[in-house]
Amino acid sequence: MKNMRSPISIVRKTFSISIVVLTTMAMGACYDDEGNYDYHELDEVVIDTVGANIQPQYAIMRFDTLRLQPNIFFNGKRVANDADAPLDYLWTIYSATTGAGANQVTDTLSHERNLEAVIGRTGGNYLVQLVVTNRNDGIRQFFRLPVAVSEVFDGGWMVFYERADEPGYADLALVYNPWTKLNVNYNRYYTNLYETTNGQKLEGSPIRCLDIAVSLASGNNYVGLCTDKTLVGVSENGIEKALDFNDFFHEAPSVEAPTWYGQHGSGVMSGQSSEVLINDNHVYTNTYSFSATEGRNTRFGVPKFDEGIGQLAAWNAEVPNTLNYGIVVYDQTYQRFRYAAYNEPQLETFAEQDLSVAAFDVNHTGMTLLMADWGRGASMGVSIRPYDYLLMKGAEGYFLAVTNFATTTASDANIGIALYPLNGLCPDIDKATTLASSHVGSFVYYGAGRTLYNFAYDSQLAATPAWQAPTEDETITCVRIMKYYHGTIYGYGLVPRSDNLVHIATWNENTRQGRLYQYLINPASGILNKEQCYEYPIPGRVKDMAWKFSMQ
């Protein structure tokens, strides 16, 4: 059967075509082409690197300054004065890699024609890009080149300070020179590393910076940064935050109020060392095994049972070399040392002391602990067994107390091996702000005002000024001798200038500027060699300093 279309459909189609034709004709009748066009040539913008001494790619160290000066031409004329051309400039840096784990953040480096910028990105491959925008027409020209950034944070000297521009916040500086890092011939230092790397400030006043050597493998360790507000762990090679306060615990305490962060054990015996935290007046330990390959895989557990204990000092005995003690702390309220046995949960009292042989009673000292450091002990080298040297104040004045937690047991009756009266021998001892003890010589440094004093305790001669800050407004806030708790690392010469270098930090309240001074010393006498000094500005008040572990 033949398919017949409806007459109505034919009429509708014809009517539709007629409407289209009439509409087109009407539009044509209304349009008057006068042929008057406003044409103009586009501006020519060229980015030219010929003769600009720009390499096809760059390999730099993190925090080095990258300088690029490309030739910019506007309508054939080289731009020498930015006011002569309507051009905007944008330099950025972003990751050259994509995918899982890649950092896709784009950072702005500059809005100037020539680039001079410190590259703070962590180690990796990046692209640095210049975009030149013509303000007249919005057309953009692009130039980019690859930049490989290498980390340098595999050693060096750490400086932990309260920021001058942000009181109540802490940050970290690192110093690299031939004295603080093996096999280098350069002199570099970096400040405000925590905020620069992590894009956030570290809350609190500094207490301690400590690089605990859990592993021999580079990058497997972390640096603990402890303030009175928190404890964080940053990566060993990049200073990137790896651990928040809660990450240190199996079950974090509800109150976040650290007063001390330390290390217990010399690292020689596997499984003998512990990470230590005093938080909200509770003692936490984290026993770990020193490994050639593995990193941190343990955490703080429940606090030590501490019934009857008073306010704890900001201190623990850091370098005992035996399993006789799992932790040793000091009770300021009851003026006594307390210990917990290895991997035991409770703080205990030491055995009754025999004062016919012991210099003082560790169970009742009658003194307040002000500051302390470990130093010269029973032996040195790989079997590092130092004593603890403690500046203490009692009713009769100031004393240097010496304890032996390196070779004794809790049942020994003569743990307090020496007590040196300091009144009359140590000028300004009542103004002391910092203490450092030698591990080789029989002396301690203490800082008071602008003066660093050297006290040779065995000689019982008066302390002598070893150094003074260059200006009267500077006060010494921290002094440290180059050494490291880990017996193997220390004993085999991996610590640069161990025992031969002193670090002195000062603060000028008027200018609100800190400074770091480094001098080589005679390790036996503590006499400074003042013929050469490394000096660095520090943007804050230094509270602690320490060597950053490196297997070089």
Side-chain angles (χ1 to χ4, degrees):
M1 180 177 179
K2 190 175 181 180
N3 184 19
M4 301 293 291
R5 285 191 292 177
S6 169
I8 298 175
S9 299
I10 297 173
V11 171
R12 284 177 179 170
K13 183 175 181 180
T14 304
F15 178 76
S16 299
I17 294 172
S18 300
I19 292 295
V20 172
V21 172
L22 290 173
T23 302
T24 304
M25 292 175 64
M27 290 178 63
C30 295
Y31 181 74
D32 187 10
D33 185 0
E34 298 180 354
N36 183 16
Y37 302 103
D38 185 17
Y39 291 113
H40 68 274
E41 292 185 3
L42 293 176
D43 296 321
E44 183 184 42
V45 178
V46 176
I47 305 173
D48 186 5
T49 61
V50 176
N53 196 30
I54 294 179
Q55 302 169 196
Q57 59 185 5
Y58 283 81
I60 63 175
M61 306 296 273
R62 187 181 177 195
F63 292 109
D64 278 354
T65 299
L66 183 62
R67 296 179 177 87
L68 301 173
Q69 297 182 350
N71 297 314
I72 308 298
F73 290 88
F74 182 72
N75 292 332
K77 183 179 180 180
R78 184 174 179 271
V79 177
N81 186 342
D82 290 340
D84 294 340
L87 303 178
D88 291 328
Y89 306 95
L90 176 63
W91 291 91
T92 57
I93 183 171
Y94 55 92
S95 177
T97 60
T98 59
N103 186 343
Q104 300 301 325
V105 173
T106 297
D107 288 331
T108 297
L109 298 177
S110 175
H111 292 280
E112 303 296 326
R113 174 165 41 92
N114 296 327
L115 177 66
E116 183 171 344
V118 175
I119 305 301
R121 298 293 289 258
T122 56
N125 295 315
Y126 298 90
L127 292 173
V128 169
Q129 176 175 275
L130 169 64
V131 179
V132 181
T133 302
N134 185 347
R135 292 193 296 270
N136 289 336
D137 51 29
I139 295 178
R140 297 180 296 172
Q141 299 295 329
F142 295 83
F143 163 74
R144 65 177 63 93
L145 56 80
V147 175
V149 179
S150 299
E151 300 281 8
V152 298
F153 305 143
D154 57 347
W157 186 250
M158 299 187 295
V159 182
F160 199 29
Y161 56 91
E162 183 174 15
R163 291 176 55 152
D165 63 339
E166 294 279 354
Y169 290 89
D171 220 311
L172 187 71
L174 281 174
V175 173
Y176 296 94
N177 61 46
W179 292 352
T180 63
K181 183 171 166 57
L182 296 175
N183 306 317
V184 305
N185 57 8
Y186 53 80
N187 177 20
R188 293 191 180 101
Y189 78 103
Y190 310 96
T191 60
N192 288 355
L193 279 176
Y194 185 86
E195 183 185 18
T196 302
T197 302
N198 299 291
Q200 58 185 242
K201 296 180 177 65
L202 180 58
E203 186 180 9
S205 178
I207 294 175
R208 202 91 195 277
C209 61
L210 183 62
D211 190 353
I212 295 180
V214 176
S215 171
L216 284 174
S218 177
N220 274 357
N221 300 302
Y222 64 89
V223 175
L225 301 177
C226 181
T227 75
D228 61 0
K229 299 293 185 182
T230 191
L231 169 68
V232 299
V234 297
S235 61
E236 182 180 44
N237 290 339
I239 316 299
E240 295 173 293
K241 187 166 73 169
L243 301 170
D244 281 310
F245 182 82
N246 291 352
D247 297 326
F248 282 86
F249 297 85
H250 287 292
E251 184 175 347
S254 58
V255 177
E256 196 168 341
T259 56
W260 178 255
Y261 176 65
Q263 152 73 30
H264 177 88
S266 69
V268 176
M269 298 175 61
S270 180
Q272 177 251 1
S273 293
S274 294
E275 184 181 30
V276 177
L277 178 68
I278 301 178
N279 179 76
D280 191 30
N281 210 46
H282 289 67
V283 182
Y284 298 83
T285 60
N286 169 29
T287 303
Y288 64 85
S289 295
F290 182 62
S291 169
T293 56
E294 294 185 7
R296 185 182 196 273
N297 53 21
T298 55
R299 300 182 182 186
F300 291 122
V302 297
K304 300 297 182 184
F305 177 61
D306 54 7
E307 182 178 354
I309 201 165
Q311 183 64 44
L312 293 172
W315 172 86
N316 78 282
E318 292 204 274
V319 200
N321 190 34
T322 70
L323 296 180
N324 297 330
Y325 309 105
I327 184 70
V328 180
V329 294
Y330 189 76
D331 184 336
Q332 298 278 45
T333 304
Y334 297 102
Q335 299 180 329
R336 61 185 179 182
F337 293 89
R338 300 290 296 274
Y339 82 97
Y342 178 67
N343 277 349
E344 291 297 319
Q346 185 168 350
L347 294 174
E348 307 278 0
T349 301
F350 291 90
E352 182 178 352
Q353 298 295 288
D354 182 356
L355 296 183
S356 67
V357 291
F360 62 96
D361 186 354
V362 294
N363 290 312
H364 183 68
T365 68
M367 297 179 288
T368 299
L369 195 162
L370 302 178
M371 58 196 76
D373 191 19
W374 58 270
R376 186 176 179 89
S379 61
M380 292 174 289
V382 176
S383 58
I384 181 172
R385 294 184 175 182
Y387 298 151
D388 285 284
Y389 293 78
L390 309 102
L391 177 59
M392 308 187 78
K393 182 182 180 182
E396 298 179 1
Y398 293 84
F399 296 87
L400 182 67
V402 185
T403 56
N404 176 14
F405 298 114
T407 60
T408 62
T409 68
S411 61
D412 287 342
N414 59 338
I415 296 173
I417 60 175
L419 189 66
Y420 299 99
L422 303 182
N423 292 1
L425 290 178
C426 293
D428 299 324
I429 192 63
D430 58 325
K431 301 180 181 66
T433 55
T434 181
L435 178 82
S437 178
S438 170
H439 185 238
V440 176
S442 299
F443 70 90
V444 295
Y445 290 128
Y446 67 93
R450 62 181 291 211
T451 304
L452 180 71
Y453 291 96
N454 181 337
F455 178 56
Y457 46 82
D458 280 348
S459 72
Q460 281 299 283
L461 297 175
T464 57
W467 179 84
Q468 278 196 326
T471 66
E472 293 184 359
D473 293 333
E474 290 180 72
T475 58
I476 297 172
T477 61
C478 188
V479 59
R480 297 287 184 265
I481 297 172
M482 183 67 103
K483 57 190 179 185
Y484 193 55
Y485 78 89
H486 198 288
T488 303
I489 296 168
Y490 183 94
Y492 283 105
L494 298 177
V495 182
R497 302 285 181 171
S498 61
D499 305 303
N500 289 266
L501 179 60
V502 64
H503 311 263
I504 309 165
T506 68
W507 169 252
N508 188 321
E509 182 64 31
N510 293 330
T511 63
R512 299 196 58 77
Q513 176 67 58
R515 300 202 77 80
L516 171 66
Y517 303 89
Q518 296 176 328
Y519 293 91
L520 295 177
I521 62 173
N522 182 314
S525 67
I527 296 175
L528 279 67
N529 180 355
K530 299 179 183 178
E531 294 182 358
Q532 185 178 359
C533 171
Y534 282 102
E535 180 181 346
Y536 305 93
I538 304 295
R541 186 195 301 265
V542 177
K543 298 293 185 70
D544 191 35
M545 300 184 284
W547 180 64
K548 189 171 177 299
F549 164 67
S550 175
M551 282 295 295
Q552 294 177 304

